[in-house]
Amino acid sequence: MRASRLGAAAGDVDAVVAQLAPDVVMVHDGGPTRRAARYPVVGPLRVARLLVNLAQRYGHRARLAPIMFNGAPGALLYLSGVPDTAISLETTDGFVTSIRMIRNPDKLHVDRQAPQVL
């Protein structure tokens, strides 16, 4: 995940695509008060473009803390020091096959401790 985050932060779509499986799917849950993709984002190029766009838009105030999320490795994204998004990754053979993001504050129950930077 670190290489993908760095590639996304640098605006390098190809570096992100290289970490994604050909059938990768990204799903968001924003709820009624948080913006998120309404439909699943499918395919490495579409997922990579969205991740790069998000990293460029929010990266300057974002920090990630590693977590286990529904039994899978993931991260908790803090924006301006406030927990904002839980991210779960599924991988197969070293490639990310699924990304799930929970932004809905009614479903995001986390400790409000300071994040570690990945």
PDB file of all heavy atoms in Angstrom, residues 7-44:
ATOM      1  N   GLY A   7       2.718   6.783  -5.027  1.00  0.00           N
ATOM      2  CA  GLY A   7       2.405   7.019  -6.436  1.00  0.00           C
ATOM      3  C   GLY A   7       1.202   7.922  -6.585  1.00  0.00           C
ATOM      4  O   GLY A   7       1.183   8.829  -7.413  1.00  0.00           O
ATOM      5  N   ALA A   8       0.189   7.705  -5.771  1.00  0.00           N
ATOM      6  CA  ALA A   8      -1.008   8.542  -5.823  1.00  0.00           C
ATOM      7  C   ALA A   8      -0.670   9.964  -5.424  1.00  0.00           C
ATOM      8  O   ALA A   8      -1.085  10.924  -6.073  1.00  0.00           O
ATOM      9  CB  ALA A   8      -2.104   7.979  -4.915  1.00  0.00           C
ATOM     10  N   ALA A   9       0.099  10.128  -4.345  1.00  0.00           N
ATOM     11  CA  ALA A   9       0.449  11.465  -3.875  1.00  0.00           C
ATOM     12  C   ALA A   9       1.296  12.207  -4.898  1.00  0.00           C
ATOM     13  O   ALA A   9       1.208  13.430  -5.024  1.00  0.00           O
ATOM     14  CB  ALA A   9       1.178  11.381  -2.537  1.00  0.00           C
ATOM     15  N   ALA A  10       2.101  11.480  -5.655  1.00  0.00           N
ATOM     16  CA  ALA A  10       2.950  12.101  -6.667  1.00  0.00           C
ATOM     17  C   ALA A  10       2.202  12.320  -7.977  1.00  0.00           C
ATOM     18  O   ALA A  10       2.743  12.894  -8.910  1.00  0.00           O
ATOM     19  CB  ALA A  10       4.183  11.230  -6.914  1.00  0.00           C
ATOM     20  N   GLY A  11       0.963  11.854  -8.039  1.00  0.00           N
ATOM     21  CA  GLY A  11       0.188  12.000  -9.267  1.00  0.00           C
ATOM     22  C   GLY A  11       0.556  10.975 -10.320  1.00  0.00           C
ATOM     23  O   GLY A  11       0.246  11.139 -11.495  1.00  0.00           O
ATOM     24  N   ASP A  12       1.193   9.884  -9.910  1.00  0.00           N
ATOM     25  CA  ASP A  12       1.667   8.858 -10.837  1.00  0.00           C
ATOM     26  C   ASP A  12       0.632   7.744 -10.989  1.00  0.00           C
ATOM     27  O   ASP A  12       0.645   6.755 -10.255  1.00  0.00           O
ATOM     28  CB  ASP A  12       2.998   8.302 -10.339  1.00  0.00           C
ATOM     29  CG  ASP A  12       3.681   7.405 -11.351  1.00  0.00           C
ATOM     30  OD1 ASP A  12       3.024   6.960 -12.319  1.00  0.00           O
ATOM     31  OD2 ASP A  12       4.875   7.138 -11.154  1.00  0.00           O
ATOM     32  N   VAL A  13      -0.262   7.912 -11.939  1.00  0.00           N
ATOM     33  CA  VAL A  13      -1.329   6.931 -12.179  1.00  0.00           C
ATOM     34  C   VAL A  13      -0.738   5.573 -12.511  1.00  0.00           C
ATOM     35  O   VAL A  13      -1.199   4.543 -12.017  1.00  0.00           O
ATOM     36  CB  VAL A  13      -2.284   7.414 -13.296  1.00  0.00           C
ATOM     37  CG1 VAL A  13      -3.273   6.331 -13.678  1.00  0.00           C
ATOM     38  CG2 VAL A  13      -3.012   8.683 -12.863  1.00  0.00           C
ATOM     39  N   ASP A  14       0.319   5.531 -13.325  1.00  0.00           N
ATOM     40  CA  ASP A  14       0.914   4.253 -13.723  1.00  0.00           C
ATOM     41  C   ASP A  14       1.471   3.484 -12.526  1.00  0.00           C
ATOM     42  O   ASP A  14       1.357   2.261 -12.468  1.00  0.00           O
ATOM     43  CB  ASP A  14       2.024   4.476 -14.758  1.00  0.00           C
ATOM     44  CG  ASP A  14       1.478   4.968 -16.092  1.00  0.00           C
ATOM     45  OD1 ASP A  14       0.299   4.679 -16.403  1.00  0.00           O
ATOM     46  OD2 ASP A  14       2.227   5.649 -16.808  1.00  0.00           O
ATOM     47  N   ALA A  15       2.058   4.196 -11.550  1.00  0.00           N
ATOM     48  CA  ALA A  15       2.584   3.530 -10.356  1.00  0.00           C
ATOM     49  C   ALA A  15       1.456   2.908  -9.547  1.00  0.00           C
ATOM     50  O   ALA A  15       1.614   1.833  -8.981  1.00  0.00           O
ATOM     51  CB  ALA A  15       3.367   4.514  -9.497  1.00  0.00           C
ATOM     52  N   VAL A  16       0.312   3.562  -9.510  1.00  0.00           N
ATOM     53  CA  VAL A  16      -0.834   3.017  -8.781  1.00  0.00           C
ATOM     54  C   VAL A  16      -1.414   1.826  -9.540  1.00  0.00           C
ATOM     55  O   VAL A  16      -1.691   0.783  -8.949  1.00  0.00           O
ATOM     56  CB  VAL A  16      -1.903   4.100  -8.528  1.00  0.00           C
ATOM     57  CG1 VAL A  16      -3.109   3.514  -7.811  1.00  0.00           C
ATOM     58  CG2 VAL A  16      -1.319   5.260  -7.732  1.00  0.00           C
ATOM     59  N   VAL A  17      -1.577   1.961 -10.844  1.00  0.00           N
ATOM     60  CA  VAL A  17      -2.109   0.872 -11.675  1.00  0.00           C
ATOM     61  C   VAL A  17      -1.264  -0.392 -11.493  1.00  0.00           C
ATOM     62  O   VAL A  17      -1.801  -1.499 -11.417  1.00  0.00           O
ATOM     63  CB  VAL A  17      -2.172   1.276 -13.164  1.00  0.00           C
ATOM     64  CG1 VAL A  17      -2.393   0.071 -14.069  1.00  0.00           C
ATOM     65  CG2 VAL A  17      -3.265   2.305 -13.399  1.00  0.00           C
ATOM     66  N   ALA A  18       0.045  -0.241 -11.365  1.00  0.00           N
ATOM     67  CA  ALA A  18       0.951  -1.386 -11.234  1.00  0.00           C
ATOM     68  C   ALA A  18       0.683  -2.189  -9.962  1.00  0.00           C
ATOM     69  O   ALA A  18       1.062  -3.359  -9.886  1.00  0.00           O
ATOM     70  CB  ALA A  18       2.400  -0.918 -11.256  1.00  0.00           C
ATOM     71  N   GLN A  19       0.019  -1.595  -8.964  1.00  0.00           N
ATOM     72  CA  GLN A  19      -0.284  -2.273  -7.705  1.00  0.00           C
ATOM     73  C   GLN A  19      -1.662  -2.930  -7.706  1.00  0.00           C
ATOM     74  O   GLN A  19      -2.016  -3.626  -6.754  1.00  0.00           O
ATOM     75  CB  GLN A  19      -0.216  -1.274  -6.547  1.00  0.00           C
ATOM     76  CG  GLN A  19       1.110  -0.573  -6.403  1.00  0.00           C
ATOM     77  CD  GLN A  19       2.226  -1.553  -6.057  1.00  0.00           C
ATOM     78  OE1 GLN A  19       2.066  -2.400  -5.185  1.00  0.00           O
ATOM     79  NE2 GLN A  19       3.342  -1.442  -6.735  1.00  0.00           N
ATOM     80  N   LEU A  20      -2.449  -2.685  -8.747  1.00  0.00           N
ATOM     81  CA  LEU A  20      -3.848  -3.121  -8.777  1.00  0.00           C
ATOM     82  C   LEU A  20      -4.049  -4.333  -9.678  1.00  0.00           C
ATOM     83  O   LEU A  20      -3.452  -4.431 -10.748  1.00  0.00           O
ATOM     84  CB  LEU A  20      -4.732  -1.970  -9.271  1.00  0.00           C
ATOM     85  CG  LEU A  20      -4.648  -0.668  -8.465  1.00  0.00           C
ATOM     86  CD1 LEU A  20      -5.479   0.421  -9.130  1.00  0.00           C
ATOM     87  CD2 LEU A  20      -5.081  -0.891  -7.032  1.00  0.00           C
ATOM     88  N   ALA A  21      -4.935  -5.235  -9.252  1.00  0.00           N
ATOM     89  CA  ALA A  21      -5.310  -6.393 -10.064  1.00  0.00           C
ATOM     90  C   ALA A  21      -6.170  -5.932 -11.242  1.00  0.00           C
ATOM     91  O   ALA A  21      -6.832  -4.890 -11.166  1.00  0.00           O
ATOM     92  CB  ALA A  21      -6.090  -7.393  -9.214  1.00  0.00           C
ATOM     93  N   PRO A  22      -6.192  -6.685 -12.325  1.00  0.00           N
ATOM     94  CA  PRO A  22      -6.988  -6.306 -13.505  1.00  0.00           C
ATOM     95  C   PRO A  22      -8.480  -6.170 -13.209  1.00  0.00           C
ATOM     96  O   PRO A  22      -9.176  -5.415 -13.881  1.00  0.00           O
ATOM     97  CB  PRO A  22      -6.740  -7.441 -14.494  1.00  0.00           C
ATOM     98  CG  PRO A  22      -5.480  -8.086 -14.055  1.00  0.00           C
ATOM     99  CD  PRO A  22      -5.399  -7.895 -12.566  1.00  0.00           C
ATOM    100  N   ASP A  23      -8.973  -6.880 -12.187  1.00  0.00           N
ATOM    101  CA  ASP A  23     -10.402  -6.831 -11.866  1.00  0.00           C
ATOM    102  C   ASP A  23     -10.681  -6.085 -10.559  1.00  0.00           C
ATOM    103  O   ASP A  23     -11.703  -6.307  -9.908  1.00  0.00           O
ATOM    104  CB  ASP A  23     -10.973  -8.243 -11.792  1.00  0.00           C
ATOM    105  CG  ASP A  23     -10.261  -9.114 -10.765  1.00  0.00           C
ATOM    106  OD1 ASP A  23      -9.180  -8.712 -10.271  1.00  0.00           O
ATOM    107  OD2 ASP A  23     -10.775 -10.200 -10.456  1.00  0.00           O
ATOM    108  N   VAL A  24      -9.800  -5.160 -10.182  1.00  0.00           N
ATOM    109  CA  VAL A  24      -9.946  -4.423  -8.927  1.00  0.00           C
ATOM    110  C   VAL A  24     -11.271  -3.660  -8.888  1.00  0.00           C
ATOM    111  O   VAL A  24     -11.752  -3.160  -9.914  1.00  0.00           O
ATOM    112  CB  VAL A  24      -8.761  -3.456  -8.702  1.00  0.00           C
ATOM    113  CG1 VAL A  24      -8.737  -2.354  -9.743  1.00  0.00           C
ATOM    114  CG2 VAL A  24      -8.786  -2.878  -7.300  1.00  0.00           C
ATOM    115  N   VAL A  25     -11.857  -3.610  -7.684  1.00  0.00           N
ATOM    116  CA  VAL A  25     -13.107  -2.876  -7.464  1.00  0.00           C
ATOM    117  C   VAL A  25     -12.930  -2.030  -6.208  1.00  0.00           C
ATOM    118  O   VAL A  25     -12.431  -2.508  -5.192  1.00  0.00           O
ATOM    119  CB  VAL A  25     -14.298  -3.839  -7.265  1.00  0.00           C
ATOM    120  CG1 VAL A  25     -15.573  -3.068  -6.940  1.00  0.00           C
ATOM    121  CG2 VAL A  25     -14.495  -4.715  -8.487  1.00  0.00           C
ATOM    122  N   MET A  26     -13.370  -0.770  -6.286  1.00  0.00           N
ATOM    123  CA  MET A  26     -13.346   0.119  -5.132  1.00  0.00           C
ATOM    124  C   MET A  26     -14.781   0.540  -4.829  1.00  0.00           C
ATOM    125  O   MET A  26     -15.510   0.980  -5.710  1.00  0.00           O
ATOM    126  CB  MET A  26     -12.483   1.353  -5.389  1.00  0.00           C
ATOM    127  CG  MET A  26     -12.372   2.249  -4.182  1.00  0.00           C
ATOM    128  SD  MET A  26     -11.053   3.506  -4.252  1.00  0.00           S
ATOM    129  CE  MET A  26     -11.410   4.355  -5.754  1.00  0.00           C
ATOM    130  N   VAL A  27     -15.173   0.372  -3.543  1.00  0.00           N
ATOM    131  CA  VAL A  27     -16.534   0.686  -3.108  1.00  0.00           C
ATOM    132  C   VAL A  27     -16.449   1.684  -1.961  1.00  0.00           C
ATOM    133  O   VAL A  27     -15.632   1.524  -1.055  1.00  0.00           O
ATOM    134  CB  VAL A  27     -17.274  -0.591  -2.638  1.00  0.00           C
ATOM    135  CG1 VAL A  27     -18.663  -0.266  -2.156  1.00  0.00           C
ATOM    136  CG2 VAL A  27     -17.309  -1.624  -3.753  1.00  0.00           C
ATOM    137  N   HIS A  28     -17.301   2.704  -2.009  1.00  0.00           N
ATOM    138  CA  HIS A  28     -17.355   3.737  -0.957  1.00  0.00           C
ATOM    139  C   HIS A  28     -18.697   3.692  -0.251  1.00  0.00           C
ATOM    140  O   HIS A  28     -19.710   3.381  -0.853  1.00  0.00           O
ATOM    141  CB  HIS A  28     -17.221   5.136  -1.561  1.00  0.00           C
ATOM    142  CG  HIS A  28     -15.921   5.390  -2.206  1.00  0.00           C
ATOM    143  ND1 HIS A  28     -15.768   6.289  -3.216  1.00  0.00           N
ATOM    144  CD2 HIS A  28     -14.687   4.881  -2.008  1.00  0.00           C
ATOM    145  CE1 HIS A  28     -14.517   6.330  -3.597  1.00  0.00           C
ATOM    146  NE2 HIS A  28     -13.847   5.483  -2.889  1.00  0.00           N
ATOM    147  N   ASP A  29     -18.680   4.074   1.024  1.00  0.00           N
ATOM    148  CA  ASP A  29     -19.917   4.260   1.783  1.00  0.00           C
ATOM    149  C   ASP A  29     -19.823   5.620   2.449  1.00  0.00           C
ATOM    150  O   ASP A  29     -19.166   5.781   3.475  1.00  0.00           O
ATOM    151  CB  ASP A  29     -20.082   3.160   2.827  1.00  0.00           C
ATOM    152  CG  ASP A  29     -21.372   3.293   3.626  1.00  0.00           C
ATOM    153  OD1 ASP A  29     -22.094   4.296   3.447  1.00  0.00           O
ATOM    154  OD2 ASP A  29     -21.644   2.410   4.444  1.00  0.00           O
ATOM    155  N   GLY A  30     -20.450   6.612   1.844  1.00  0.00           N
ATOM    156  CA  GLY A  30     -20.383   7.965   2.368  1.00  0.00           C
ATOM    157  C   GLY A  30     -21.539   8.312   3.280  1.00  0.00           C
ATOM    158  O   GLY A  30     -21.413   9.169   4.142  1.00  0.00           O
ATOM    159  N   GLY A  31     -22.654   7.690   3.080  1.00  0.00           N
ATOM    160  CA  GLY A  31     -23.826   8.017   3.884  1.00  0.00           C
ATOM    161  C   GLY A  31     -24.442   9.342   3.465  1.00  0.00           C
ATOM    162  O   GLY A  31     -24.064   9.929   2.459  1.00  0.00           O
ATOM    163  N   PRO A  32     -25.374   9.839   4.249  1.00  0.00           N
ATOM    164  CA  PRO A  32     -26.116  11.036   3.856  1.00  0.00           C
ATOM    165  C   PRO A  32     -25.341  12.341   4.001  1.00  0.00           C
ATOM    166  O   PRO A  32     -25.714  13.343   3.415  1.00  0.00           O
ATOM    167  CB  PRO A  32     -27.325  11.028   4.792  1.00  0.00           C
ATOM    168  CG  PRO A  32     -26.876  10.255   5.988  1.00  0.00           C
ATOM    169  CD  PRO A  32     -25.898   9.237   5.470  1.00  0.00           C
ATOM    170  N   THR A  33     -24.222  12.336   4.766  1.00  0.00           N
ATOM    171  CA  THR A  33     -23.527  13.594   5.029  1.00  0.00           C
ATOM    172  C   THR A  33     -22.109  13.657   4.492  1.00  0.00           C
ATOM    173  O   THR A  33     -21.444  14.670   4.642  1.00  0.00           O
ATOM    174  CB  THR A  33     -23.466  13.866   6.547  1.00  0.00           C
ATOM    175  OG1 THR A  33     -22.735  12.809   7.177  1.00  0.00           O
ATOM    176  CG2 THR A  33     -24.859  13.967   7.141  1.00  0.00           C
ATOM    177  N   ARG A  34     -21.622  12.606   3.862  1.00  0.00           N
ATOM    178  CA  ARG A  34     -20.252  12.566   3.347  1.00  0.00           C
ATOM    179  C   ARG A  34     -20.253  12.205   1.872  1.00  0.00           C
ATOM    180  O   ARG A  34     -20.954  11.292   1.451  1.00  0.00           O
ATOM    181  CB  ARG A  34     -19.415  11.526   4.098  1.00  0.00           C
ATOM    182  CG  ARG A  34     -19.252  11.783   5.556  1.00  0.00           C
ATOM    183  CD  ARG A  34     -18.163  12.830   5.786  1.00  0.00           C
ATOM    184  NE  ARG A  34     -17.983  13.141   7.177  1.00  0.00           N
ATOM    185  CZ  ARG A  34     -17.104  12.561   7.967  1.00  0.00           C
ATOM    186  NH1 ARG A  34     -16.341  11.611   7.514  1.00  0.00           N
ATOM    187  NH2 ARG A  34     -17.012  12.937   9.219  1.00  0.00           N
ATOM    188  N   ARG A  35     -19.449  12.899   1.108  1.00  0.00           N
ATOM    189  CA  ARG A  35     -19.328  12.606  -0.315  1.00  0.00           C
ATOM    190  C   ARG A  35     -18.551  11.315  -0.531  1.00  0.00           C
ATOM    191  O   ARG A  35     -17.577  11.044   0.155  1.00  0.00           O
ATOM    192  CB  ARG A  35     -18.622  13.746  -1.027  1.00  0.00           C
ATOM    193  CG  ARG A  35     -19.440  15.013  -1.023  1.00  0.00           C
ATOM    194  CD  ARG A  35     -18.754  16.082  -1.782  1.00  0.00           C
ATOM    195  NE  ARG A  35     -18.776  15.678  -3.195  1.00  0.00           N
ATOM    196  CZ  ARG A  35     -18.348  16.447  -4.171  1.00  0.00           C
ATOM    197  NH1 ARG A  35     -17.851  17.616  -3.915  1.00  0.00           N
ATOM    198  NH2 ARG A  35     -18.399  16.022  -5.419  1.00  0.00           N
ATOM    199  N   ALA A  36     -18.996  10.547  -1.499  1.00  0.00           N
ATOM    200  CA  ALA A  36     -18.325   9.301  -1.871  1.00  0.00           C
ATOM    201  C   ALA A  36     -18.852   8.895  -3.248  1.00  0.00           C
ATOM    202  O   ALA A  36     -19.890   9.385  -3.687  1.00  0.00           O
ATOM    203  CB  ALA A  36     -18.613   8.208  -0.848  1.00  0.00           C
ATOM    204  N   ALA A  37     -18.123   8.008  -3.909  1.00  0.00           N
ATOM    205  CA  ALA A  37     -18.577   7.501  -5.200  1.00  0.00           C
ATOM    206  C   ALA A  37     -19.900   6.767  -5.002  1.00  0.00           C
ATOM    207  O   ALA A  37     -20.041   5.954  -4.087  1.00  0.00           O
ATOM    208  CB  ALA A  37     -17.531   6.567  -5.802  1.00  0.00           C
ATOM    209  N   ARG A  38     -20.859   7.049  -5.839  1.00  0.00           N
ATOM    210  CA  ARG A  38     -22.187   6.425  -5.698  1.00  0.00           C
ATOM    211  C   ARG A  38     -22.219   4.976  -6.151  1.00  0.00           C
ATOM    212  O   ARG A  38     -23.035   4.199  -5.693  1.00  0.00           O
ATOM    213  CB  ARG A  38     -23.217   7.206  -6.505  1.00  0.00           C
ATOM    214  CG  ARG A  38     -23.511   8.549  -5.931  1.00  0.00           C
ATOM    215  CD  ARG A  38     -24.579   9.236  -6.722  1.00  0.00           C
ATOM    216  NE  ARG A  38     -24.838  10.543  -6.142  1.00  0.00           N
ATOM    217  CZ  ARG A  38     -25.825  11.306  -6.502  1.00  0.00           C
ATOM    218  NH1 ARG A  38     -26.640  10.926  -7.457  1.00  0.00           N
ATOM    219  NH2 ARG A  38     -25.995  12.468  -5.929  1.00  0.00           N
ATOM    220  N   TYR A  39     -21.346   4.650  -7.095  1.00  0.00           N
ATOM    221  CA  TYR A  39     -21.316   3.306  -7.662  1.00  0.00           C
ATOM    222  C   TYR A  39     -19.907   2.744  -7.513  1.00  0.00           C
ATOM    223  O   TYR A  39     -18.932   3.495  -7.412  1.00  0.00           O
ATOM    224  CB  TYR A  39     -21.700   3.347  -9.138  1.00  0.00           C
ATOM    225  CG  TYR A  39     -23.073   3.946  -9.350  1.00  0.00           C
ATOM    226  CD1 TYR A  39     -23.226   5.271  -9.766  1.00  0.00           C
ATOM    227  CD2 TYR A  39     -24.217   3.206  -9.107  1.00  0.00           C
ATOM    228  CE1 TYR A  39     -24.480   5.827  -9.940  1.00  0.00           C
ATOM    229  CE2 TYR A  39     -25.477   3.756  -9.272  1.00  0.00           C
ATOM    230  CZ  TYR A  39     -25.602   5.067  -9.700  1.00  0.00           C
ATOM    231  OH  TYR A  39     -26.846   5.604  -9.854  1.00  0.00           O
ATOM    232  N   PRO A  40     -19.771   1.426  -7.529  1.00  0.00           N
ATOM    233  CA  PRO A  40     -18.430   0.841  -7.477  1.00  0.00           C
ATOM    234  C   PRO A  40     -17.567   1.351  -8.629  1.00  0.00           C
ATOM    235  O   PRO A  40     -18.057   1.547  -9.749  1.00  0.00           O
ATOM    236  CB  PRO A  40     -18.686  -0.662  -7.604  1.00  0.00           C
ATOM    237  CG  PRO A  40     -20.086  -0.851  -7.103  1.00  0.00           C
ATOM    238  CD  PRO A  40     -20.819   0.397  -7.526  1.00  0.00           C
ATOM    239  N   VAL A  41     -16.301   1.577  -8.335  1.00  0.00           N
ATOM    240  CA  VAL A  41     -15.329   1.977  -9.349  1.00  0.00           C
ATOM    241  C   VAL A  41     -14.602   0.701  -9.744  1.00  0.00           C
ATOM    242  O   VAL A  41     -14.027   0.017  -8.894  1.00  0.00           O
ATOM    243  CB  VAL A  41     -14.362   3.039  -8.798  1.00  0.00           C
ATOM    244  CG1 VAL A  41     -13.357   3.451  -9.859  1.00  0.00           C
ATOM    245  CG2 VAL A  41     -15.149   4.249  -8.287  1.00  0.00           C
ATOM    246  N   VAL A  42     -14.639   0.366 -11.028  1.00  0.00           N
ATOM    247  CA  VAL A  42     -14.143  -0.922 -11.501  1.00  0.00           C
ATOM    248  C   VAL A  42     -13.001  -0.719 -12.495  1.00  0.00           C
ATOM    249  O   VAL A  42     -13.090   0.121 -13.389  1.00  0.00           O
ATOM    250  CB  VAL A  42     -15.285  -1.721 -12.172  1.00  0.00           C
ATOM    251  CG1 VAL A  42     -14.783  -3.072 -12.682  1.00  0.00           C
ATOM    252  CG2 VAL A  42     -16.448  -1.907 -11.206  1.00  0.00           C
ATOM    253  N   GLY A  43     -11.945  -1.507 -12.327  1.00  0.00           N
ATOM    254  CA  GLY A  43     -10.828  -1.496 -13.257  1.00  0.00           C
ATOM    255  C   GLY A  43      -9.661  -0.676 -12.739  1.00  0.00           C
ATOM    256  O   GLY A  43      -9.845   0.344 -12.076  1.00  0.00           O
ATOM    257  N   PRO A  44      -8.441  -1.131 -13.035  1.00  0.00           N
ATOM    258  CA  PRO A  44      -7.255  -0.483 -12.476  1.00  0.00           C
ATOM    259  C   PRO A  44      -7.076   0.975 -12.894  1.00  0.00           C
ATOM    260  O   PRO A  44      -6.696   1.801 -12.068  1.00  0.00           O
ATOM    261  CB  PRO A  44      -6.097  -1.356 -12.957  1.00  0.00           C
ATOM    262  CG  PRO A  44      -6.636  -2.211 -14.029  1.00  0.00           C
ATOM    263  CD  PRO A  44      -8.107  -2.307 -13.837  1.00  0.00           C
TER     264      PRO A  44
END
